[in-house]
Amino acid sequence: MTLKMRPIGRRTLVGGLAAATLAAPTIVSAQGTYPNKTVRYINPYPAGGATDTLSRIFCAKMTELSGQQWIVENKGGSGGNVGMDALAQSPPDGYTLGLGGIASHAISPTLYAKLPFNAKTDFTFISTIWQLPNMLVVNLDLPVKTVAELIELLRKNPGKYSYGSAGSGTTLHLCGELFKIMAKVDMVHVPYRGAAPAMQDLLAGQIQMIFDNIPGALAQSRPGKVRALGVTSAKRSPVVPDVPAIAETLPGFDISSWTTLTGPAKLPPDIVARLSELSKKALESEDLKAKFFEQASIAVWRSPAETAAFRDSEEARLAPIIKASGARVD
């Protein structure tokens, strides 16, 4: 049997070609234009602190490079865990990202008896963003000028003095617990919902000391409102070379804050690649690096694989310190 082909009319052929011509760019465009709308960036800490300032610098640069607005949304609480829980439950479409880091992704898995998320498997790690040590500052009325003098005072007055932190599970809290162990002192931990209110109480004399991120600490120590005693990195910070490292008095003391650009799990590989590309350009740009340095922070880019591996190694490194401190949040 011979099949007869129906002739294609000129109108049908032209219409079909036109439709194909219109459809093709749409497909290519959908794959190549991420982001094509506003990106929501969850900062799991309150406004006004170092993470807020640095996040806004980073998001401003990502806005410039991507051509779409990156909006910072502050969602504080529980040492960053409230905001990270919200991120973990967000759709993996690249339009809700957030600020992961040492507190929520390396400390909390050991510190908390139960977390609403799995710090390893519920997220996509895109890049590190910045790294900075914390700084130990004290109220001006405290009669000490060095870490050694502080240790001596605390040993003579066990349980009398208190230190504030940005919340249980933050590096500020862990620095205090490590200090207690290594210095063999007893001081009371007072958690706050962020570093800013903790600093306000330090200025008011409600607490006597705080391990704060360097930007927040410098804002008060440079004008002489609090006294800086030491930084928490293994060596002195190039930003404040005149401030000793606590490790000079307590050898081996070393905790620095770091952050990551993070998305929910199952973020599509092409979006991860695009975000990695944008992040690299942002973090290696001279203007952003200069602005970060002004805030006592160092811009650090890592690939997605390197960032995930770094997170794993930090959790493993810090777990014994947390367990030895006896710190636990139920």
Side-chain angles (χ1 to χ4, degrees):
M1 181 176 69
T2 303
L3 294 176
K4 293 184 178 180
M5 301 297 292
R6 180 181 177 185
I8 300 175
R10 183 177 181 278
R11 181 177 298 177
T12 303
L13 178 61
V14 172
L17 289 173
T21 302
L22 290 172
T26 303
I27 296 171
V28 174
S29 174
Q31 294 175 342
T33 59
Y34 172 85
N36 56 26
K37 62 180 182 179
T38 297
V39 176
R40 173 187 176 217
Y41 170 105
I42 298 175
N43 175 11
Y45 302 102
T51 60
D52 190 50
T53 299
L54 290 163
S55 288
R56 292 178 188 280
I57 292 172
F58 176 71
C59 286
K61 191 64 179 180
M62 293 295 275
T63 293
E64 174 189 327
L65 292 172
S66 69
Q68 296 293 334
Q69 287 292 318
W70 284 54
I71 304 298
V72 177
E73 177 182 326
N74 298 94
K75 190 179 286 291
S78 189
N81 294 333
V82 171
M84 287 299 96
D85 183 35
L87 177 61
Q89 296 184 48
S90 299
D93 58 6
Y95 291 99
T96 301
L97 304 171
L99 183 71
I102 185 173
S104 56
H105 287 90
I107 296 174
S108 289
T110 302
L111 184 70
Y112 283 78
K114 185 178 181 180
L115 283 175
F117 54 79
N118 185 301
K120 179 181 177 70
T121 61
D122 287 348
F123 301 93
T124 300
F125 299 99
I126 299 158
S127 172
T128 43
I129 306 178
W130 70 77
Q131 191 162 326
L132 74 160
N134 298 321
M135 182 185 287
L136 170 59
V137 294
V138 300
N139 183 277
L140 295 178
D141 291 334
L142 204 64
V144 299
K145 293 184 178 180
T146 66
V147 171
E149 290 177 358
L150 175 62
I151 292 173
E152 182 180 1
L153 178 67
L154 294 173
R155 285 177 178 172
K156 290 180 179 179
N157 300 275
K160 179 179 179 180
Y161 297 105
S162 58
Y163 77 97
S165 80
S168 296
T170 61
T171 58
L172 314 186
H173 174 209
L174 189 56
C175 284
E177 293 303 310
L178 182 60
F179 188 86
K180 287 166 62 176
I181 293 169
M182 296 187 69
K184 296 180 174 61
V185 297
D186 178 18
M187 54 185 183
V188 179
H189 173 226
V190 182
Y192 290 82
R193 291 179 63 87
M199 181 61 78
Q200 289 302 312
D201 269 9
L202 176 65
L203 293 170
Q206 300 299 314
I207 55 177
Q208 289 73 47
M209 68 202 85
I210 181 176
F211 293 84
D212 196 5
N213 293 145
I214 281 187
L218 281 179
Q220 304 301 331
S221 63
R222 279 176 172 162
K225 295 181 180 179
V226 297
R227 183 178 299 119
L229 299 188
V231 295
T232 63
S233 48
K235 297 180 180 180
R236 297 190 183 203
S237 167
V239 179
V240 281
D242 56 324
V243 178
I246 294 174
E248 293 174 30
T249 303
L250 297 174
F253 194 102
D254 181 17
I255 295 180
S256 291
S257 294
W258 49 264
T259 60
T260 59
L261 178 60
T262 308
K266 300 180 180 180
L267 206 58
D270 58 335
I271 291 180
V272 174
R274 175 62 174 154
L275 286 168
S276 177
E277 175 192 8
L278 288 169
S279 299
K280 191 173 192 294
K281 289 179 180 178
L283 296 167
E284 293 183 352
S285 64
E286 293 303 321
D287 57 335
L288 180 140
K289 289 194 292 185
K291 290 176 182 178
F292 271 23
F293 193 80
E294 289 174 1
Q295 298 296 321
S297 304
I298 304 299
V300 180
W301 178 85
R302 288 184 175 92
S303 71
E306 290 169 336
T307 303
F310 177 70
R311 188 221 69 85
D312 292 348
S313 67
E314 281 289 273
E315 181 183 343
R317 181 179 76 88
L318 295 173
I321 300 173
I322 299 167
K323 291 175 182 177
S325 75
R328 188 71 167 168
V329 180
D330 295 320

